[in-house]
Amino acid sequence: MPSQKQLRWAELRVGITVVFASIVLMFLIFLMGGATGFLKPTLRLYAYVQNASGLRNGAPVRLQSVDIGNVNKIRIVDHHSASGASTPVQIVMKINAKFRPFVHTDSQVLLTTQGVLGETFVDIDSTHAQGPVVSNDSELAVKEVPDLQDVISSSQGTLENINVLIRRLDRIVGAVEDQKGSVGKLIYDKQLYDNLNHSVSQVNSMLNDINGGRGSLGKLLNDDTLYQRATTAIDKVNTIADTINGNQGTVGKLLHDPALYDHANQTMVNANELINGMNRGEGSLGMMAKDKEFARKLDLLVTNLSSIASELQGGKGAAGKLMKDAALYDNMNKLMAETRDLIGAVRTNPKKYLTIHLKLF
């Protein structure tokens, strides 16, 4: 039977073993759960947010989604941002010092969730950072992103609109199933189906006729004569174009002969000179355009001609009566007829009308 001393020594060894195993277990847990490493130099950084959003102590700190440290502390402090907003949640982060060259003073901190329902961690974004590298106890700016609750709240109106749309679609589908409205009749009316089927059959028959070269449209599409004529017409057009480009023919000379351009240009110059001379009152046309006395006389002439025309229309004067008096017209017509008859008779028997009687005493 062991003595009391031996029992105490055995209990002491068991206790020492348990304590040592506990220390080793804690050390292993620390190595597996942290990114800073044991006895490795670390860097302490701060960030201030309005809401911790489920972040806990020991949560990973990542740089571009790569683990570089852990959250050391989360506490409430009296702190305000540069804009004056209250940011009472202080996040103390410890990162491995070897990642210091990759974290800058203008890097941004994001509180990100792993998936929809995963844990929250700190993600440092240095994509556009260009400032100096951080030092110990540096503060990083926080990039605010809407959390899941904000997204759900902002999408509430959209969900309500979708719900209203679904109810309306349900009513429309119900009306269609009840054969109401144009769409319902279009789907369930057998007569309409038969008509459509008959129309499709006719269209197929027409297409078969066209493919078989029957009818005007079929000949138009399948007869090679049309293609040959079109080719011939295109060849003729190309020949005309080549002729024009070769300065041949009237059109070719019209387009390419510089003499025509010179003549046209000279004509325009002469026309401009003529118009300028008229504007200056030079020559007969210029005097006609600029002389007020001539304009007055021309206006008087037009007025007199208008008055004479009015009198003629009114049957005034000899000319007016000549134009308007039917009796005078008939008498003159009768006189002309009698004169024509007299001249004919003289030509027929001139001795009768042109006999000269000479008497001597």
Side-chain angles (χ1 to χ4, degrees):
M1 182 174 180
S3 62
Q4 188 71 21
K5 184 177 180 179
Q6 290 177 340
L7 291 174
R8 289 180 179 178
W9 175 244
E11 292 176 355
L12 180 62
R13 284 187 299 175
V14 172
I16 293 173
T17 302
V18 172
V19 171
F20 181 74
S22 299
I23 294 174
V24 172
L25 181 61
M26 292 175 61
F27 177 73
L28 293 176
I29 293 174
F30 181 78
L31 289 179
M32 290 185 295
T36 56
F38 183 68
L39 299 179
K40 291 183 179 180
T42 59
L43 197 66
R44 186 168 57 246
L45 302 175
Y46 295 93
Y48 296 90
V49 296
Q50 294 179 348
N51 193 321
S53 300
L55 188 68
R56 60 176 180 81
N57 290 335
V61 176
R62 296 173 180 172
L63 175 64
Q64 310 299 136
S65 299
V66 178
D67 289 346
I68 63 172
N70 299 92
V71 175
N72 183 253
K73 292 180 182 178
I74 302 174
R75 56 187 180 181
I76 301 296
V77 296
D78 185 13
H79 185 269
H80 293 79
S81 64
S83 62
S86 176
T87 52
V89 180
Q90 182 190 58
I91 301 174
V92 183
M93 299 166 284
K94 282 189 177 182
I95 66 172
N96 197 323
K98 70 177 182 179
F99 296 105
R100 178 173 176 267
F102 305 102
V103 183
H104 302 265
T105 55
D106 55 347
S107 298
Q108 292 183 318
V109 171
L110 293 86
L111 298 185
T112 308
T113 304
Q114 292 180 344
V116 178
L117 301 176
E119 67 171 351
T120 304
F121 65 92
V122 177
D123 191 12
I124 300 177
D125 184 11
S126 296
T127 305
H128 304 289
Q130 298 180 351
V133 296
V134 296
S135 58
N136 195 34
D137 295 330
S138 295
E139 180 182 343
L140 297 180
V142 177
K143 183 178 181 181
E144 296 291 341
V145 294
D147 56 13
L148 181 60
Q149 188 63 33
D150 294 335
V151 174
I152 294 175
S153 299
S154 62
S155 62
Q156 189 65 32
T158 303
L159 294 176
E160 292 178 358
N161 293 333
I162 293 175
N163 190 23
V164 172
L165 179 61
I166 291 174
R167 290 198 298 269
R168 290 180 178 176
L169 289 176
D170 184 64
R171 289 198 301 268
I172 294 173
V173 173
V176 172
E177 291 178 347
D178 294 337
Q179 303 183 23
K180 297 178 180 179
S182 302
V183 178
K185 294 180 179 179
L186 184 66
I187 295 176
Y188 292 99
D189 191 355
K190 187 177 182 302
Q191 183 64 34
L192 178 62
Y193 168 77
D194 294 337
N195 293 335
L196 289 176
N197 192 21
H198 181 66
S199 299
V200 172
S201 300
Q202 289 181 340
V203 171
N204 288 331
S205 177
M206 182 176 64
L207 292 177
N208 292 330
D209 291 339
I210 292 174
N211 291 329
R214 295 184 293 272
S216 301
L217 188 58
K219 293 180 180 179
L220 185 65
L221 294 177
N222 295 282
D223 191 359
D224 293 337
T225 304
L226 177 64
Y227 169 76
Q228 294 174 358
R229 290 178 179 177
T231 303
T232 303
I234 293 173
D235 292 337
K236 291 181 179 179
V237 172
N238 290 330
T239 302
I240 295 173
D242 294 336
T243 302
I244 293 173
N245 291 329
N247 299 339
Q248 301 175 4
T250 305
V251 179
K253 293 181 180 180
L254 187 65
L255 292 177
H256 297 281
D257 190 0
L260 176 63
Y261 169 78
D262 295 337
H263 293 161
N265 192 23
Q266 186 63 37
T267 302
M268 293 298 296
V269 172
N270 294 333
N272 289 331
E273 291 180 354
L274 178 62
I275 293 173
N276 293 331
M278 291 175 60
N279 290 331
R280 292 192 299 268
E282 299 176 353
S284 300
L285 293 177
M287 294 178 66
M288 291 173 62
K290 294 293 183 177
D291 192 354
K292 295 182 179 180
E293 181 63 24
F294 177 78
R296 187 187 65 78
K297 292 180 180 180
L298 182 61
D299 182 64
L300 180 60
L301 175 61
V302 172
T303 302
N304 293 334
L305 290 176
S306 178
S307 177
I308 292 172
S310 299
E311 291 180 355
L312 290 175
Q313 291 291 335
K316 298 178 181 180
K321 292 180 179 180
L322 184 63
M323 293 180 62
K324 296 292 183 176
D325 192 351
L328 179 59
Y329 168 78
D330 294 336
N331 293 333
M332 289 187 65
N333 191 21
K334 184 178 180 180
L335 177 61
M336 293 295 293
E338 291 177 352
T339 303
R340 186 173 59 253
D341 293 339
L342 177 61
I343 293 174
V346 170
R347 288 179 177 177
T348 303
N349 190 5
K351 294 181 179 181
K352 182 178 178 180
Y353 298 96
L354 297 177
T355 301
I356 301 173
H357 298 275
L358 181 61
K359 292 182 181 182
L360 297 176
F361 305 103

